[in-house]
Amino acid sequence: MKKTILSGSTVTGDLTLGNYIGAIHNWKQLQEKYDCLYFLADLHALTVFQDPKVLRDRTYSFFAQYLALGLDPQKNIIFVQSQVPEHTELSWVLTCLTPMGYLNRMTQFKEKSEKHVKNINAGLYTYPILMAADILLYQADLVPVGEDQRQHLELCRDIVGFFENRYGEGILKMPEAYIGKSGARIMSLQDPEKKMSKSDENEKNFVSIIDDAKKIEKKIKGAATDSGTEIKYDPETKPGLSNLMTIYSVLSGKTTEELEKEYEGKMYGHLKVDLADVVVQTLRPVREKYDDLMKNKDHLDQLMKSGSERARARSRVTLENVYKAVGLVR
Ligand code: ATP
Ligand code: LTN
């Protein structure tokens, strides 16, 4: 029996090179060995205000980006969260098991409520419970998440404990975090102290998966680097340059030592020009496939529908077992 992997990404911003290198690149390798489910967390996106039209367009766009980046809708179950109502159904049962004290500790809630002072809604607060439902519905063994989501995964494990204490074992599976091999963390192009993030307001900080060649070149050439001249991988003293070298290394398959040798005696500008070319070459076929997919919304609708049907069939089993266990009449 293959182990089950589940991961999702909120439908905000545009997928970046950071998402690709840190997540989707790994997911592609996992799809061969594991039983994988990947979904677009559109319900999670609602915790901060979304323009309805933008959210709708973005859902199609994200779905197409997943496929264009090489996730196979046959090998994996790829779906949209809101098309599987079981997520919100299970979430309610789990909400009634989760002490507020546990939610009060969540750092993402604290950060987001500082950022969105005018919209500190209850969804922002219960967000991690919905995330637990996402995971537990599919009896996931492993959940690939970044560092920022670890605390939510821990809470999910606590919730399994609360459930088992009250209703017994064998109904929900205890999930574990999955840490990918490369573990590369891509930093912002202008401010290499913070991570490249798809909801960054400043476009210059990230390369989007669907940026055209001109934009990519401009952003990479304009990336902040220190005032030195030697091409050396050293995240402490040369964070900007090292970040570019990490991207270069992952996309070209060369190690950072190999890059140091190759660029001995050359200037930062040389490396930037070549890196821009590598990024453009990597993303060109992605962009072409993406444009193709976006021309046919009906086809995307069909793929979404078949993904959500497969997801529902699986999630329904868990939900029914939970409902029975807690005493709801079926
Ligand atoms: P947001 O800005 O909306 O919080 P994000 O860019 O941080 O978005 P997420 O939706 O939180 O992206 O994460 C999707 C996946 O991409 C996660 O597995 C996360 O670990 C990974 N990821 C996000 N940003 C980076 C990055 N800069 N480097 C490596 N991996 C990343
Ligand atoms: N909260 C996550 C997205 C997310 C997720 C999940 C990830 C929602 N549900 C379930 C893994 C498993 C984020 O902000 N990256």
Side-chain angles (χ1 to χ4, degrees):
M1 273 278 276
K2 285 183 178 173
K3 286 197 169 176
T4 299
I5 288 210
L6 172 130
S7 198
S9 178
T10 45
V11 190
T12 41
D14 261 319
L15 289 178
T16 68
L17 209 48
N19 297 128
Y20 176 60
I21 292 174
I24 298 166
H25 188 60
N26 295 327
W27 296 359
K28 269 201 306 199
Q29 273 136 36
L30 299 173
Q31 70 187 3
E32 308 301 334
K33 266 183 45 204
Y34 295 92
D35 162 35
C36 302
L37 298 110
Y38 298 119
F39 71 99
L40 305 185
D42 56 346
L43 294 172
H44 277 97
L46 292 179
T47 55
V48 298
F49 177 72
Q50 304 292 334
D51 179 311
K53 179 170 183 331
V54 174
L55 179 60
R56 198 174 302 121
D57 291 346
R58 193 172 269 155
T59 303
Y60 283 102
S61 170
F62 261 53
F63 197 83
Q65 288 177 53
Y66 269 27
L67 303 184
L69 285 167
L71 293 183
D72 182 336
Q74 252 64 55
K75 285 186 192 152
N76 310 287
I77 301 184
I78 306 178
F79 66 99
V80 178
Q81 187 183 29
S82 65
Q83 295 181 0
V84 182
E86 284 75 5
H87 288 245
T88 41
E89 292 185 73
L90 179 62
S91 181
W92 176 252
V93 177
L94 304 182
T95 301
C96 298
L97 280 169
T98 309
M100 288 174 65
Y102 279 68
L103 295 177
N104 291 339
R105 285 192 224 133
M106 296 295 121
T107 50
Q108 183 177 294
F109 172 67
K110 290 183 207 160
E111 280 165 21
K112 288 214 173 165
S113 37
E114 275 163 28
K115 200 169 155 197
H116 305 278
V117 268
K118 293 217 177 93
N119 184 16
I120 308 180
N121 61 70
L124 205 53
Y125 186 63
T126 57
Y127 177 116
I129 306 179
L130 179 59
M131 178 162 162
D134 300 336
I135 297 168
L136 300 176
L137 271 178
Y138 301 95
Q139 309 284 332
D141 296 286
L142 300 167
V143 185
V145 283
E147 212 39 58
D148 59 327
Q149 297 298 316
R150 276 208 174 237
Q151 201 186 21
H152 292 162
L153 192 65
E154 265 321 302
L155 178 72
C156 175
R157 291 169 55 84
D158 289 334
I159 292 177
V160 175
F162 301 142
F163 187 92
E164 289 182 340
N165 268 340
R166 210 170 298 173
Y167 304 111
E169 294 181 7
I171 299 165
L172 298 177
K173 184 173 265 176
M174 186 68 86
E176 268 166 55
Y178 175 89
I179 309 300
K181 265 183 245 137
S182 89
R185 189 172 148 86
I186 306 304
M187 310 310 282
S188 153
L189 294 178
Q190 293 298 324
D191 178 4
E193 301 294 327
K194 60 176 211 202
K195 78 162 195 161
M196 185 181 281
S197 166
K198 64 180 154 57
S199 54
D200 201 312
E201 281 120 32
N202 183 359
E203 267 218 18
K204 289 188 186 157
N205 280 333
F206 58 82
V207 171
S208 150
I209 295 301
I210 51 174
D211 276 346
D212 58 30
K214 251 205 192 130
K215 256 196 188 164
I216 296 175
E217 277 158 16
K218 202 162 161 215
K219 287 178 178 177
I220 295 207
K221 285 180 195 160
T225 38
D226 62 283
S227 55
T229 51
E230 195 194 358
I231 298 205
K232 201 169 171 331
Y233 181 79
D234 184 354
E236 287 295 312
T237 59
K238 295 171 180 274
L241 177 72
S242 301
N243 185 41
L244 297 181
M245 290 177 79
T246 304
I247 299 174
Y248 202 150
S249 161
V250 176
L251 297 185
S252 68
K254 295 176 189 168
T255 63
T256 48
E257 291 80 27
E258 285 168 340
L259 291 173
E260 281 174 0
K261 275 206 197 101
E262 195 177 324
Y263 285 93
E264 217 178 297
K266 292 195 180 157
M267 318 265 276
Y268 289 0
H270 291 123
L271 182 130
K272 283 184 175 176
V273 169
D274 293 349
L275 172 59
D277 193 47
V278 170
V279 175
V280 168
Q281 298 305 339
T282 308
L283 294 182
R284 179 172 293 133
V286 174
R287 168 91 207 195
E288 282 168 6
K289 191 158 178 219
Y290 169 79
D291 286 341
D292 245 20
L293 285 161
M294 288 298 280
K295 276 186 209 136
N296 192 345
K297 289 266 170 70
D298 289 346
H299 180 56
L300 287 177
D301 270 323
Q302 269 166 20
L303 290 173
M304 282 182 189
K305 185 160 177 268
S306 106
S308 61
E309 277 167 1
R310 287 166 71 201
R312 283 199 80 177
R314 298 255 304 247
S315 59
R316 199 74 220 164
V317 179
T318 304
L319 187 70
E320 286 299 331
N321 287 337
V322 167
Y323 275 173
K324 271 189 226 141
V326 307
L328 301 180
V329 175
R330 305 311 293 156

